[in-house]
Amino acid sequence: MGCDVKDLGLAGKGRERIEWAAGEMPVLALIRERFEKERPLEGIRVGACLHVTTETANLMETLAAGGAEVALCASNPLSTQDDVAAALCEQGGIQTNAIRGEDTETFFRHINAVLDTRPHITMDDGADMVSVLHKERQDQIAEILGGTEETTTGVIRLRAMAADGALRYPIVSVNDADTKHLFDNRFGTGQSTMDAIMRATNRLLAGRTIVVCGYGMCGRGVASRARGMGAHVIVTEVDPTPALEAMMEGYRVMPLLEAARVGDIFITVTGDKAVIRREHMDRMKDGAILANSGHFDVEIDKEALGTIAEGRVRRIREFVDEYTTGDGRRLHLLGEGRLVNLAAAEGHPAAVMDMSFANQALAAEWVVKNAASLSPQVYEVPREIDKEVARLKLRAMGVEIDTLTEEQEEYLRSWQEGT
Ligand code: ADE
């Protein structure tokens, strides 16, 4: 098996951390038990391009329990947990090609190593594997039954491909499941982003002004957790509806050019590029901290930061690069502008990844079962799967809910009753 990891000696530590995460992933554990019995993925090769974390390891082992042959590479060069990669390799069975800090060439070599296993199912976080397949390896697309996509950015790319008529196989948008984006994007990104900023900087957040760029599900989570830490939160948006929602949630809303003058910490979570640009950096205070929690490292214009600093750059702490401007202001970029929650912390906690990855496992099973009737488009996770994940999660949390009476069911089906 062609693994490429940093150090197999880290496997023991990785195995303990994978087990620790498993304790918070009861829904995935139930699916794994069923998969072990039913083997719904027997004979299926899965190629996964995901953040190589303890939670992902649990997903990979669930797929393997279902009979799949699994190969895994990283969906971001800075998010790999080397001990986890080592543990997956040592155990055998799961080819892992991922090294934290790998350069762009290695990153793509690893994607290609996974594609060399000729997967029937692709599992992406950001659509880089799908992109390589469509641009460089079209010859193997005919062997692919379908794929899944984990994140908002990846789904945006896939929808653009579908609209262009370029998408050549069916992909399930796991991100769009309620039990994914309402929890992982909001509570996961919210907590892990604040966790990463605190780990990287050890700064007090209470009383500081935190500017959250983007008020999608991730932005909502970050803003609410920042407020919970005692920060004054400003939201910037381009869409009037979420801007209005942020306003009514009690945040200040203003253009980034205005926020740039007063912010202490800036966090991008938009999914778009060049959100924080030179004109914003020119107005920032000495000591400002810049962090990105969007999928790609394009939200903060790093080139502009470099130009402003003209070489006056130093790594002042692990994960903190200090750029000094011509007029002596220090701007601090966290985690090289890569998604800070995975670069400087451990990503979303296992309890939310439990639901995201339960959807991933069940979506893969659904693709295998339904492959013959699917066409090349972006599919939603079937509603029954989404609801089942919510039900199982509640049960695991020991929470019961009510059920509709016959009379209520009937009322909802009828239209005659009214005023
Ligand atoms: N994306 C965000 N957090 C993650 C995690 N802990 N594992 C895998 N993917 C993630």
Side-chain angles (χ1 to χ4, degrees):
M1 192 179 51
C3 274
D4 187 18
V5 300
K6 182 161 183 216
D7 177 4
L8 279 176
L10 300 171
K13 180 177 162 233
R15 181 50 51 192
E16 285 168 359
R17 292 202 319 111
I18 292 168
E19 278 175 31
W20 177 251
E24 285 279 279
M25 303 182 86
V27 179
L28 196 63
L30 282 173
I31 294 169
R32 185 175 180 157
E33 263 174 45
R34 177 171 68 76
F35 274 16
E36 267 162 7
K37 285 190 210 115
E38 297 177 8
R39 307 278 289 177
L41 304 178
E42 196 72 65
I44 297 292
R45 289 189 294 273
V46 176
C49 179
L50 300 170
H51 300 297
V52 180
T53 65
T54 54
E55 294 77 20
T56 300
N58 278 290
L59 171 62
M60 296 299 102
E61 292 180 350
T62 299
L63 301 173
E69 220 176 278
V70 184
L72 170 68
C73 62
S75 58
N76 184 294
L78 258 194
S79 63
T80 297
Q81 298 170 1
D82 288 317
D83 55 343
V84 170
L88 285 173
C89 274
E90 197 203 39
Q91 201 91 353
I94 294 167
Q95 173 181 316
T96 305
N97 302 80
I99 299 173
R100 186 180 178 86
E102 60 196 14
D103 59 20
T104 307
E105 191 244 310
T106 312
F107 177 79
F108 283 104
R109 181 156 50 75
H110 284 160
I111 291 185
N112 278 297
V114 169
L115 289 175
D116 286 345
T117 65
R118 305 204 76 95
H120 303 113
I121 301 265
T122 61
M123 208 168 256
D124 247 312
D125 186 331
D128 277 339
M129 181 170 275
V130 173
S131 172
V132 169
L133 267 167
H134 281 72
K135 286 186 191 145
E136 294 160 27
R137 303 184 60 137
Q138 293 154 3
D139 57 303
Q140 68 187 91
I141 288 183
E143 300 161 17
I144 294 179
L145 301 175
T148 64
E149 170 54 53
E150 169 76 6
T151 202
T152 316
T153 298
V155 174
I156 291 171
R157 284 178 96 184
L158 293 171
R159 292 227 157 91
M161 286 174 81
D164 251 2
L167 186 64
R168 297 208 17 222
Y169 65 89
I171 305 204
V172 182
S173 159
V174 167
N175 184 68
D176 291 333
D178 286 345
T179 46
K180 199 281 183 182
H181 68 269
L182 294 180
F183 300 90
D184 165 320
N185 299 28
R186 187 160 41 148
F187 302 109
T189 308
Q191 178 166 321
S192 60
T193 301
M194 300 323 290
D195 178 20
I197 292 172
M198 290 191 288
R199 289 195 205 193
T201 66
N202 195 27
R203 286 275 164 88
L204 182 73
L205 303 180
R208 295 285 159 80
T209 297
I210 297 188
V211 179
V212 179
C213 306
Y215 200 67
M217 274 302 153
C218 295
R220 285 172 174 89
V222 171
S224 105
R225 270 41 192 164
R227 177 155 68 187
M229 295 297 296
H232 302 281
V233 179
I234 296 175
V235 169
T236 70
E237 247 303 336
V238 292
D239 183 331
T241 323
L244 189 58
E245 189 187 340
M247 198 56 204
M248 294 205 183
E249 276 294 341
Y251 301 114
R252 292 168 70 199
V253 177
M254 63 182 74
L256 185 51
L257 263 183
E258 254 176 68
R261 290 190 193 284
V262 292
D264 296 303
I265 300 175
F266 296 82
I267 305 167
T268 53
V269 264
T270 71
D272 207 342
K273 69 188 291 197
V275 176
I276 299 186
R277 303 181 292 273
R278 173 153 195 166
E279 68 247 45
H280 306 116
M281 296 164 188
D282 282 344
R283 287 170 171 75
M284 285 179 184
K285 297 193 286 195
D286 177 34
I289 289 168
L290 285 69
N292 166 51
S293 220
H295 184 79
F296 287 119
D297 62 339
V298 295
E299 304 211 10
I300 299 168
D301 186 347
K302 285 195 278 184
E303 224 176 281
L305 257 184
T307 309
I308 293 173
E310 291 173 335
R312 292 175 297 264
V313 183
R314 63 173 171 153
R315 180 147 296 180
I316 188 162
R317 269 171 77 92
E318 199 184 4
F319 308 121
V320 185
D321 291 332
E322 179 186 83
Y323 290 76
T324 303
T325 63
D327 57 3
R329 287 172 302 122
R330 290 156 301 173
L331 304 181
H332 299 118
L333 179 67
L334 306 191
E336 300 172 18
R338 296 198 187 275
L339 76 187
V340 73
N341 62 337
L342 281 142
E346 293 169 69
H348 304 349
V352 284
M353 295 314 294
D354 186 27
M355 290 189 278
S356 310
F357 285 169
N359 277 293
Q360 283 282 6
L362 296 177
E365 180 185 32
W366 181 82
V367 167
V368 170
K369 268 196 194 140
N370 296 281
S373 62
L374 303 180
S375 56
Q377 53 175 294
V378 179
Y379 285 87
E380 305 253 314
V381 172
R383 193 112 189 105
E384 324 76 83
I385 292 183
D386 203 355
K387 288 287 171 205
E388 181 63 5
V389 172
R391 248 190 304 276
L392 292 175
K393 189 70 177 175
L394 279 173
R395 195 189 305 156
M397 294 167 97
V399 176
E400 290 182 22
I401 59 171
D402 292 324
T403 45
L404 292 173
T405 62
E406 277 284 319
E407 184 191 10
Q408 288 176 308
E409 296 255 21
E410 177 57 31
Y411 181 75
L412 292 177
R413 273 195 301 269
S414 67
W415 54 269
Q416 289 93 342
E417 241 184 280
T419 311

